[in-house]
Amino acid sequence: PLARAKCWSSCLRLVDLKGDGDHQMVVGNMDKKLKVFKGMALASEHVLLDRPVSMCAFYTDENSPRSPALGVAAGPFVFVYRNLRPYFKYTVPPVELDPVELDVWRNLASEECDPATAAELLVTARDNG
């Protein structure tokens, strides 16, 4: 509450952003902001285009000092930030749902079946391929 950070655990990372050995806490916040904390203070805040669901830090090159890029999954996109600036946007292609699975979810939403039955049907669908 003190940091006003509302996020999933998958959107919280300790990252050495500048390659100087000083790790900072990076938070993909529910209010569509990327917040960077240094110590107990907010160091910077950046606007995201959608609400994040996951985030990771990764290296794209062997340059020294090594500074990571941040990958932020939000909606149907993966946004890549380098030096905390937008660098690349990857659109994840849509996946067509299996008709059996889609029927199970529709029946569950309309309360035509109970959760236990839906779980059984989904497991059976998965096991049948």
Side-chain angles (χ1 to χ4, degrees), residues 72-105:
V72 180
F77 307 107
V78 176
F79 298 101
V80 177
Y81 293 84
R82 291 191 65 166
N83 299 318
L84 295 175
R85 288 177 173 62
Y87 179 72
F88 186 75
K89 178 176 94 171
Y90 176 74
T91 303
V92 179
V95 176
E96 196 170 315
L97 292 177
D98 181 63
V100 173
E101 182 181 355
L102 194 55
D103 283 342
V104 171
W105 287 112

Side-chain angles (χ1 to χ4, degrees), residues 42-87:
L42 180 65
S44 63
E45 190 173 82
H46 312 272
V47 176
L48 296 173
L49 297 177
D50 205 348
R51 182 174 290 167
V53 293
S54 188
M55 180 173 60
C56 72
F58 59 95
Y59 295 98
T60 58
D61 54 33
E62 294 293 323
N63 294 342
S64 186
R66 297 202 57 189
S67 62
L70 285 174
V72 180
F77 307 107
V78 176
F79 298 101
V80 177
Y81 293 84
R82 291 191 65 166
N83 299 318
L84 295 175
R85 288 177 173 62
Y87 179 72

Side-chain angles (χ1 to χ4, degrees), residues 27-41:
V27 178
N29 213 1
M30 294 275 195
D31 63 359
K32 299 180 185 178
K33 291 185 181 171
L34 189 65
K35 294 183 177 188
V36 180
F37 293 90
K38 186 171 182 170
M40 297 297 287

Side-chain angles (χ1 to χ4, degrees), residues 2-13:
L2 186 59
R4 293 191 180 104
K6 294 181 182 179
C7 68
W8 303 108
S9 59
S10 59
C11 294
L12 181 69
R13 298 284 180 260

